[in-house]
Amino acid sequence: MEYTALLEKQIIGRLRIDNPWWTLGSVPDFYADMKPRLYLDVFYPLVKDIDLRRATVLMGPRRVGKTVMMYHSIQQLIKEGTDPQNIIYINVEAPIYNKIFLETLLHLACEILGKDPSTEAMYVFYDEIQYLKDWEVELKSLVDSYLKIKFIASGSAAAELKKKSDESGAGRFTDFHLPPLTFYEYVHLKGYSDLCQIRNYSWSGAITQIPRAIDITLLNNLFIDYINYGGYPEVVFSERIRENPGQFIRHDIIDKVLLRDLPSLYGISDVQELNSLFTMIAYHSGAQFTYEKLSQESKIPKELLKKYIQYLEAAFLIKVVRRTDDTAKYGGKNET
């Protein structure tokens, strides 16, 4: 897309929409009213530390709350006294930003605000950054060039983010992994954080603190719900999604990763082949396999099969567990 005066005007309009706190002084109620994930307590100090000359890269699967965590971080910054006009949020996935340099977007935002990025202490959030080619080179350059700005980036394709941040961002990036909800978080988000209390017990002549459920039946029921629905925050709060969680997971998470994220990032030409492999693995979840046998069954060459499995695992769609013997020695070919 050719960069024109009209395009610049449209980008400026989009930046104003995405940063309502510039005029309202707060994040939208939709995000402010959401319960924050417990990981925010660990992530936010990395955001707040503007003196550390490193960009924070937030990685994790789709729909686990990365964007919401960014908004909650922005909300906390404003609450603690940061000028709302010193906080910039840019969703790199937006089509209007296609092939626009990160630095160009930063300068346009600062132009709107009347800020000098070389002298102002600011926080800049880039969401879904993996869709910009060579993002890691640009982000590293920004960290080196704008000493008073703290850059925070997020992305769903963890494999590519981790690979590129390791290769090009040495000493400039701090990676933060946000996994799906833990059971402890699930209980917290459902409003039962007091369901377990710490009790003192005498054990081998010493006093030991052990958590004990006030209502074990309720805790067990919550655990069953967590197993069925609990990996994604949206499922926790939406009764409509809970009526058909399979459709949500399939269309909003798996299909987008298989059909868009992985092909665009790794140049996979045969998407149907990758999808068929994932379906085969899903139907044999928990079973042992060897690459040789799986290659024969799937009709996919062994070396290509290994790459596919690496991509699927890095995108958080599968988890490969290496077999070990009774001496904890790696078993080699067999996988689970």
Side-chain angles (χ1 to χ4, degrees):
M1 182 184 298
E2 183 181 356
Y3 193 88
T4 63
L6 176 59
L7 176 60
E8 181 176 296
K9 183 178 179 180
Q10 292 174 331
I11 291 175
I12 289 174
R14 179 59 191 252
L15 287 170
R16 292 184 185 276
I17 293 173
D18 287 346
N19 293 267
W21 47 86
W22 290 350
T23 54
L24 300 178
S26 62
V27 302
D29 292 341
F30 175 78
Y31 293 105
D33 294 340
M34 289 183 180
K35 288 185 178 180
R37 288 198 56 174
L38 298 180
Y39 279 87
L40 181 64
D41 292 339
V42 185
F43 176 68
Y44 180 70
L46 297 177
V47 173
K48 182 66 184 295
D49 191 356
I50 202 168
D51 295 325
L52 182 62
R53 289 180 55 194
R54 297 174 69 99
T56 299
V57 182
L58 175 61
M59 298 181 287
R62 280 187 170 273
R63 318 302 286 189
V64 295
K66 298 184 299 299
T67 296
V68 175
M69 186 170 286
M70 281 187 154
Y71 274 100
H72 283 158
S73 297
I74 292 170
Q75 177 180 261
Q76 190 64 25
L77 286 170
I78 295 173
K79 183 179 178 180
E80 294 181 2
T82 300
D83 185 345
Q85 293 196 346
N86 281 18
I87 302 172
I88 298 171
Y89 170 85
I90 299 170
N91 184 356
V92 181
E93 189 179 13
I96 199 171
Y97 298 146
N98 184 37
K99 297 182 180 180
I100 305 298
F101 293 125
L102 298 180
E103 188 169 15
T104 300
L105 295 173
L106 169 63
H107 279 286
L108 285 175
C110 288
E111 182 180 316
I112 296 171
L113 299 167
K115 303 284 185 179
D116 182 352
S118 63
T119 60
E120 294 273 0
M122 305 179 75
Y123 297 89
V124 178
F125 294 78
Y126 292 112
D127 204 0
E128 298 291 358
I129 200 171
Q130 78 273 5
Y131 291 109
L132 180 66
K133 185 179 180 181
D134 298 327
W135 66 266
E136 74 287 358
V137 177
E138 289 193 44
L139 187 59
K140 180 178 181 295
S141 176
L142 289 175
V143 173
D144 290 337
S145 301
Y146 299 95
L147 307 184
K148 293 192 174 184
I149 297 180
K150 182 59 181 282
F151 294 96
I152 303 94
S154 80
S156 300
E160 189 73 359
L161 283 169
K162 186 68 171 68
K163 172 175 171 285
K164 289 192 174 183
S165 65
D166 284 347
E167 290 175 353
S168 301
R172 289 294 179 264
F173 300 162
T174 298
D175 296 335
F176 187 95
H177 294 267
L178 184 65
L181 292 176
T182 64
F183 179 55
Y184 181 75
E185 281 189 293
Y186 179 81
V187 172
H188 172 79
L189 291 176
K190 293 291 288 184
Y192 294 102
S193 55
D194 295 330
L195 187 57
C196 289
Q197 295 184 351
I198 300 297
R199 304 288 180 86
N200 292 329
Y201 291 89
S202 178
W203 182 268
S204 299
I207 300 298
T208 302
Q209 292 187 327
I210 299 176
R212 181 181 178 86
I214 298 174
D215 186 338
I216 191 63
T217 301
L218 175 58
L219 184 66
N220 286 336
N221 289 336
L222 286 171
F223 184 69
I224 292 173
D225 285 344
Y226 169 74
I227 294 297
N228 289 322
Y229 312 114
Y232 301 94
E234 282 179 276
V235 184
V236 174
F237 297 112
S238 175
E239 289 295 332
R240 183 176 179 181
I241 293 178
R242 287 165 69 96
E243 291 175 0
N244 192 353
Q247 182 177 7
F248 166 78
I249 292 173
R250 179 71 188 183
H251 292 295
D252 284 16
I253 300 172
I254 296 175
D255 282 353
K256 286 182 179 178
V257 173
L258 287 177
L259 302 180
R260 187 172 71 169
D261 291 354
L262 294 182
S264 65
L265 290 171
Y266 296 106
I268 297 172
S269 57
D270 195 339
V271 177
Q272 186 60 45
E273 183 178 64
L274 178 64
N275 190 41
S276 298
L277 174 64
F278 176 74
T279 302
M280 179 185 295
I281 293 174
Y283 276 109
H284 295 85
S285 179
Q288 290 188 4
F289 74 91
T290 63
Y291 285 113
E292 288 81 2
K293 185 176 180 180
L294 189 59
S295 176
Q296 294 173 1
E297 293 179 355
S298 64
K299 310 300 182 184
I300 300 174
K302 181 179 174 181
E303 291 306 313
L304 180 59
L305 176 70
K306 287 184 176 181
K307 289 183 179 180
Y308 281 168
I309 289 178
Q310 177 187 353
Y311 298 160
L312 291 171
E313 185 174 22
F316 301 98
L317 293 182
I318 66 172
K319 176 63 179 177
V320 178
V321 181
R322 271 71 183 179
R323 178 183 171 183
T324 57
D325 61 20
D326 55 1
T327 64
K329 184 177 179 181
Y330 174 46
K333 296 181 179 180
N334 294 318
E335 313 287 347
T336 0

